[in-house]
C-alpha cells in the first residue's frame, strides 16, 4: 500500500466534500456538511521525528514534523450511563488489540481531566480520520488531542490550543507513562517544530521551511510499546551513565547541525544528519533488523538520508528524497519490503 498525502486546510477539505452534494436535499446537505465541519474542527495530526527520539526525554531539543494525515473524533453525551467507544481509525494489523488497554486508560484520563464521569453521564465516542495507527506516527497523541477537541465541542467549552495540548499530554500518560510531550504538541499545532522539555512547560518553536521536504515513510508492521522501550533505554542509562552521556553529547551536536541544515534548506546536509541519527538509535539499541533493512533499501533507491522514527524496535522509518522522482522511486523500493508505505511533502 502506498499513500500519497498533500496538506490541505480543514475548510478546503470540507468545502470539497460538501460541493458534491448540490443535488441532495438541501436540509440533508446542510446537516451532512455541518457534521463534517464539526469533525474537521477536532482534527489532530500524526507526526514524524526528524531528530531526537528517546534523547528528547532528557530535556534536549528535538525536531518533529506533522504529517497531513489526521485523526478526528465525535463526542456525544447520552441518557444511558456508560462509555461507548467506536474506533474507526485505519490501523496496521494488531495495533488496536496491542494498544487497547493503554488506549482505554488514555481515554479515561482525558475524561477525568474534563471532570466527566461516564457512570454519571453517558459518553459515546467515535474516532475516525485518515491517519493509519502504527507505532511511530503519533497515533496515540492524535487520538487524545482529537478527543480533547471533541469534548470541548460537546460540553461546550471554549479552549485555547495550549489547553487542548495540555489535555492531550495528560491523555498520553495512559499510553506512555511519562510522555515527552513532543507527540501531543505536534498533533495540536502541526507544522515543523523544535521541541524541548523543561522543568516547567515545554518550549516549542515553529520552524519555517525554505525548500520542499519530500519524505517517504514506511511501517515494519511491528507494534512496539513506547513505555517499555523508553524504560529499557532508561535502564541502560542508569546502568552505564558515562556511555549514555557520550551518546547524548553526540546527539546534541548532531541536532544543532541538522537544524541549521533545515533552516538553510540544505537537503544533502540534512540527509547526512538523519543518517547519523539512525546510527545513534542503533547504539541505543532501539532500532531493529526490519528498520535497518528499510533504511538501507531507501538509501539504495535514492534517498539522501534515512532513519528510524519514533519508538523503534518496530514501527516506522523515514527517508528524505531530493525530488518527486526520487520520492516515487524510494516508495516503490520500500513497498517491496514494507506492508505500508506513505509519502508526504512539507512546504
Amino acid at each position: 500500500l502506498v499513500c500519497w498525502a498533500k496538506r490541505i486546510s480543514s475548510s478546503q477539505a470540507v468545502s470539497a466534500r460538501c460541493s458534491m452534494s448540490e443535488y441532495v436535499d438541501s436540509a440533508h446537505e446542510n446537516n451532512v456538511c455541518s457534521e463534517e465541519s464539526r469533525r474537521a474542527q477536532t482534527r489532530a495530526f500524526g507526526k514524524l521525528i526528524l531528530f531526537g527520539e528517546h534523547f528528547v526525554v532528557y530535556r534536549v531539543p528535538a525536531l518533529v514534523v506533522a504529517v497531513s494525515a489526521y485523526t478526528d473524533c465525535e463526542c456525544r453525551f447520552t441518557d444511558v450511563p456508560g462509555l461507548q467507544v467506536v474506533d474507526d481509525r485505519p490501523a496496521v494489523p494488531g495495533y488496536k488489540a496491542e494498544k487497547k488497554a493503554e488506549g482505554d486508560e488514555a481515554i479515561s484520563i482525558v475524561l477525568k481531566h474534563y471532570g466527566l464521569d461516564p457512570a454519571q453521564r453517558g459518553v459515546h465516542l467515535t474516532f475516525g480520520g485518515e491517519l493509519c495507527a502504527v507505532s511511530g506516527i503519533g497515533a496515540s497523541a492524535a487520538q487524545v488531542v482529537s478527543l480533547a477537541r471533541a469534548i470541548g465541542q460537546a460540553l461546550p467549552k471554549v479552549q485555547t490550543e495550549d489547553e487542548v495540548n495540555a489535555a492531550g499530554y495528560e491523555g498520553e500518560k495512559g499510553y506512555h507513562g511519562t510522555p515527552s510531550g513532543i507527540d501531543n504538541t505536534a498533533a495540536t499545532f502541526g507544522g515543523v517544530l523544535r521541541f524541548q522539555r523543561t522543568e516547567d512547560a515545554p518550549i516549542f518553536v515553529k520552524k519555517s521551511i525554505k525548500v520542499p521536504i519530500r519524505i517517504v515513510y514506511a511501517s515494519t508492521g511491528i507494534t512496539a510499546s513506547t513505555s517499555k522501550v523508553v524504560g529499557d533505554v532508561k535502564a541502560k542509562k542508569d546502568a552505564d551513565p558515562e556511555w549514555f552521556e557520550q551518546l547524548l553529547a553526540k546527539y546534541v551536536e548532531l541536532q544543532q547541525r541538522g537544524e541549521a541544515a533545515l533552516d538553510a534548506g540544505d537537503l544533502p546536509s540534512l540527509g547526512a544528519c538523519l543518517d547519523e541519527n539512525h546510527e545513534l538509535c542503533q547504539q541505543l539499541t532501539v532500532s531493529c533488523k526490519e528498520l535497518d533493512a528499510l533504511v538501507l533499501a531507501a538509501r539504495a533507491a535514492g534517498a539522501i538520508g534515512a532513519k528510524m522514527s519514533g519508538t523503534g524496535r518496530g514501527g516506522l522509518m523515514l527517508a528524505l528524497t531530493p525530488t518527486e522522482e526520487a520520492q516515487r522511486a524510494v516508495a516503490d523500493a520500500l513497498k517491496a519490503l514494507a506492508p505500508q508505505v506513505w509519502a508526504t511533502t512539507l512546504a
Side-chain angles (χ1 to χ4, degrees), residues 164-211:
V164 169
N165 194 30
Y169 178 78
E170 291 301 311
E172 278 278 85
K173 292 178 181 178
Y175 277 102
H176 304 314
T178 306
S180 69
I182 191 170
D183 287 14
N184 51 276
T185 301
T188 302
F189 294 96
V192 181
L193 303 171
R194 173 161 49 85
F195 176 93
Q196 185 172 7
R197 292 181 68 177
T198 70
E199 290 185 2
D200 299 313
I203 300 169
F204 65 93
V205 178
K206 272 206 167 188
K207 306 290 293 181
S208 60
I209 300 175
K210 287 192 174 181
V211 296

